[in-house]
Amino acid sequence: MTEKHLIALDLDGTLLKDNKTISPLTKKVIQKAIADGHEVMIATGRPFRASEAIYHELDLHTPIVNFNGAFIHHPKDTSWGFYHSPLDIKTARDIVAACNDYPFHNIIAEVIDDVYYHYHDEKLIDIFSLGNPKVTIGNLLEFLEAAPTSILIHAEEEHVPAIRKHLSEVHADLIDHRRWADPFHVIEIVKSGINKAVGLQKVSDYYQIPQKNIIAFGDEDNDFEMIEYAGKGVAMGNGIDELKSLANDITLSNEEDGIAIYLNEALNLRAL
């Protein structure tokens, strides 16, 4: 009998194929892992409203990490705890005000499931509409009153480095920031010290699963800490080179059932 493991799955570019679906084979292997007594969880940069359907599709019964660790809860057990680590509201406003010194398309602030747009933008509204959030459009300095879970700055690719340089120089002790993968030139900002590994540790402690028995899958720079924390950090074949260098193992891509192939062998599932 293989020791009980905690399996952490990033969504976009990892569990999900490019068309945002889960392949039948990957779903089959994940369900076999659960049936064999392992715990499977989601750790994503998405808000819960945009990952809830996937959570239920896999019939999970574990806590979930959203907003890259800024929001952690158990959808099926309210007694488990509710961990929300938003940005300081003054810092958020300072960031919004500073953006006026740089060219940008829009700023989006999310307060768990409420979404605030600095400017009206049909394309972005469509992207963030999953889960039917409450939407407010207007100057964030006027309309944003609650501490945001995250802030997103949408700019042209050539302006992203300058904005990130400012964020690092002025707010380094208060925030962490990353950029989304192409084709979106978006800077994502969360409270300093918040990442997926924070959530992973909370969940592994809850299930009393040792670090050596954690397997985590990811593909982008918001997976760095989780991949490093896990006993087996696995980069997808389609992942960025920096993550592959950090990972313990590299599996096939999200289009090639990389998660299924790896878990079937690592946990001796005999599902293929």
Side-chain angles (χ1 to χ4, degrees):
M1 171 67 183
T2 304
E3 290 184 22
K4 185 174 184 175
H5 282 66
L6 175 63
I7 302 158
L9 308 173
D10 169 54
L11 294 183
D12 299 286
T14 301
L15 173 67
L16 302 179
K17 296 171 62 180
D18 293 344
N19 65 2
K20 304 303 180 184
T21 65
I22 308 171
S23 80
L25 179 60
T26 293
K27 188 184 300 186
K28 175 185 175 184
V29 170
I30 288 171
Q31 290 173 341
K32 180 63 163 60
I34 294 170
D36 281 7
H38 303 291
E39 303 290 350
V40 176
M41 64 176 287
I42 290 170
T44 178
R46 291 187 180 202
F48 179 63
R49 66 178 185 277
S51 47
E52 183 177 11
I54 300 162
Y55 182 94
H56 292 303
E57 181 180 352
L58 292 175
D59 194 24
L60 300 183
H61 294 80
T62 48
I64 183 169
V65 175
N66 292 110
F67 290 107
N68 292 317
F71 179 46
I72 310 160
H73 79 297
H74 196 314
K76 295 181 178 178
D77 183 1
T78 55
S79 68
W80 184 81
F82 180 94
Y83 303 94
H84 184 215
S85 304
L87 290 155
D88 175 75
I89 185 64
K90 181 183 182 302
T91 301
R93 288 177 176 150
D94 287 347
I95 290 170
V96 173
C99 282
N100 289 322
D101 295 332
Y102 300 89
F104 71 93
H105 294 307
N106 213 339
I107 309 171
I108 305 97
E110 297 188 80
V111 184
I112 303 184
D113 283 326
D114 294 343
V115 183
Y116 296 79
Y117 299 89
H118 197 62
Y119 300 125
H120 183 86
D121 187 322
E122 287 293 341
K123 182 178 179 182
L124 287 178
I125 288 174
D126 184 57
I127 291 172
F128 287 89
S129 65
L130 197 58
N132 297 314
K134 177 185 174 184
V135 172
T136 302
I137 300 172
N139 189 329
L140 295 186
L141 293 176
E142 297 177 20
F143 290 97
L144 181 63
E145 297 180 344
T149 314
S150 72
I151 291 177
L152 305 170
I153 302 170
H154 181 213
E156 288 294 332
E157 183 175 13
E158 61 264 30
H159 301 308
V160 167
I163 297 172
R164 294 192 71 182
K165 183 173 184 288
H166 167 83
L167 293 172
S168 295
E169 290 176 349
V170 179
H171 303 289
D173 295 337
L174 300 173
I175 67 169
D176 287 334
H177 56 91
R178 298 182 173 87
R179 63 165 293 173
W180 284 12
D182 291 338
F184 299 105
H185 305 301
V186 170
I187 304 165
E188 179 176 325
I189 305 165
V190 295
K191 183 179 179 181
S192 178
I194 295 300
N195 54 66
K196 292 181 181 182
V198 173
L200 202 54
Q201 184 174 9
K202 287 185 186 299
V203 178
S204 61
D205 287 349
Y206 172 72
Y207 288 114
Q208 297 185 315
I209 295 175
Q211 198 169 350
K212 69 180 181 67
N213 285 356
I214 299 174
I215 303 174
F217 295 89
D219 70 312
E220 276 291 340
D221 65 355
N222 65 336
D223 298 310
F224 281 161
E225 293 87 355
M226 177 174 75
I227 293 298
E228 193 169 35
Y229 181 80
K232 285 289 186 183
V234 186
M236 305 301 293
N238 53 290
I240 60 174
D241 290 339
E242 295 89 340
L243 190 71
K244 291 178 180 177
S245 297
L246 186 68
N248 300 107
D249 291 315
I250 300 171
T251 188
L252 298 174
S253 77
N254 63 322
E255 288 289 314
E256 301 169 300
D257 290 300
I259 289 174
I261 301 300
Y262 188 92
L263 287 179
N264 188 66
E265 181 177 345
L267 299 179
N268 193 28
L269 297 175
R270 300 178 183 176
L272 302 184

